[in-house]
Amino acid sequence: MFSGPGRTYGPLLLLPAVAAVALLSACGGAPAEPGAPSASPSASSPAPRPSSAPASSEPPTTSPLARDVQAAFRAATKAHPGAALDTCTTDAPLDDADCGAALTAAGKVAADTERRLRQKDPENADLLYGAALTTAGAVQDGLARLRHPIPCYGLSEAPQPPPPLHAEAESICAEAADLTRSEWGIFLSTVEP
């Protein structure tokens, strides 16, 4: 038996209004008065900003610890330029000196940033600058993986693998370089503004 469109769709039309009241109540808004006409979502005014949001469009101030990390990184980058790891593509040959130079520079920047931060507060450096120090160590570990046991990109004086193993060594080096690039990206996210 057909009961008409009012009964079939009536409860479905109330769902958005009920959801809006529940959302406003959960977010701290005042619930609607019973019997008051409900406004459609498109006609309602924007929700008030939470009190913790900044009132102006000025960027938040940088903490002293973040400024220490950024200053150490900038000084290390200036002292060891050339950490452009985009030269280390997955198809870079095993003896690609440009890739090796970029990786070496990245390792030096990470190590120098760590050294500068540890000098700033030797006793509390791990507590104060933990993220930057941990990620700097990961970059240095990545560089060590590229030096041994396979001499990737001229990073060590060890002899190149024999021709039958050359393609496999290139593949291993490409994967290790890709991992080091990822570690470098994570390091940058902890030291750059």
Side-chain angles (χ1 to χ4, degrees):
M1 177 179 261
F2 181 73
S3 61
R7 289 184 185 224
T8 306
Y9 297 109
L12 293 177
L13 293 176
L14 291 176
L15 284 177
V18 171
V21 168
L23 254 163
L24 282 173
S25 296
C27 294
E33 292 292 322
S38 65
S40 68
S42 60
S44 65
S45 62
R49 255 187 176 169
S51 60
S52 63
S56 69
S57 61
E58 294 178 17
T61 57
T62 306
S63 74
L65 295 177
R67 284 195 297 270
D68 289 348
V69 170
Q70 292 165 10
F73 171 70
R74 281 192 298 270
T77 302
K78 188 174 181 180
H80 308 286
L85 297 190
D86 55 345
T87 60
C88 296
T89 61
T90 53
D91 59 346
L94 196 58
D95 59 352
D96 187 334
D98 290 337
C99 177
L103 288 163
T104 299
K108 287 180 178 179
V109 168
D112 196 16
T113 300
E114 179 179 2
R115 180 187 61 78
R116 289 169 191 273
L117 290 174
R118 289 196 184 281
Q119 280 180 342
K120 191 124 183 101
D121 191 341
E123 292 180 17
N124 301 307
D126 288 317
L127 292 173
L128 298 173
Y129 313 114
L133 298 177
T134 300
T135 57
V139 171
Q140 294 170 71
D141 292 345
L143 196 57
R145 279 191 307 268
L146 287 161
R147 286 192 174 114
H148 305 288
I150 301 171
C152 301
Y153 312 116
L155 293 173
S156 90
E157 298 297 322
Q160 292 292 313
L165 300 175
H166 194 79
E168 186 177 346
E170 264 187 355
S171 174
I172 292 169
C173 287
E175 288 179 25
D178 194 42
L179 181 59
T180 303
R181 275 195 312 271
S182 296
E183 290 163 340
W184 174 252
I186 295 168
F187 169 69
L188 291 180
S189 73
T190 65
V191 296
E192 289 183 326

